[in-house]
Amino acid sequence: MSIKLHNPVGIAPPFSCYSHGASASGDARWLYISGQVGVTTDGIVPDDPEKQIELAWDNLLAVLADAEMTVNDLVKVDGFITRPELVPFYRKERERRFSGHAAATTMVIVAGLAEPNLLVEIQAVAAR
């Protein structure tokens, strides 16, 4: 099984470290990761938005690891943030976590999440 990234010549290149599309070939085991938020293992949601983004990525990668997968197995990642000023930090953290991988991604600024203190949520699909 391999993941092929798609960035066609006929459209503008991605704005940062992601691909316009990603496909998985062959027999694959799929993992759908529920939205991960910026919460510590003891249930604390930090006030610091950058810490929440780091924790959301930590939690997403923990689910990947539990499924014996890595960031290189990510096919699609959807990020939801509640403040426009978080866009640069979210992108920077995504690029750091991707370590050169460039899955298909979407980032949306939303009015709110399930709890008012949550500022970020990240869901993903992986295949191996």
Side-chain angles (χ1 to χ4, degrees):
M1 200 286 309
S2 65
I3 295 174
K4 181 178 179 185
L5 304 176
H6 302 275
N7 293 298
V9 175
I11 63 176
F15 294 122
S16 64
C17 184
Y18 67 91
S19 294
H20 288 299
S23 60
S25 63
D27 291 330
R29 178 172 56 94
W30 292 88
L31 172 66
Y32 292 82
I33 302 172
S34 296
Q36 299 300 305
V37 296
V39 61
T40 64
T41 56
D42 56 355
I44 304 291
V45 177
D47 292 332
D48 179 10
E50 293 181 7
K51 185 63 177 169
Q52 282 195 38
I53 291 170
E54 291 172 358
L55 285 168
W57 277 105
D58 288 347
N59 295 335
L60 186 133
L61 296 180
V63 176
L64 271 175
D66 189 68
E68 299 178 352
M69 293 182 173
T70 71
V71 292
N72 292 324
D73 298 312
L74 289 170
V75 176
K76 178 76 167 104
V77 177
D78 298 316
F80 306 91
I81 57 176
T82 60
R83 298 179 185 167
E85 65 270 18
L86 297 178
V87 170
F89 187 79
Y90 178 87
R91 282 183 175 162
K92 180 180 173 186
E93 191 65 15
R94 181 186 63 205
E95 290 177 20
R96 184 174 80 81
R97 300 305 180 113
F98 274 9
S99 300
H101 183 61
T105 69
T106 298
M107 179 178 39
V108 180
I109 301 167
V110 296
L113 296 167
E115 301 285 333
N117 58 339
L118 296 173
L119 305 175
V120 62
E121 187 165 345
I122 308 168
Q123 67 183 17
V125 177
R128 174 175 270 189

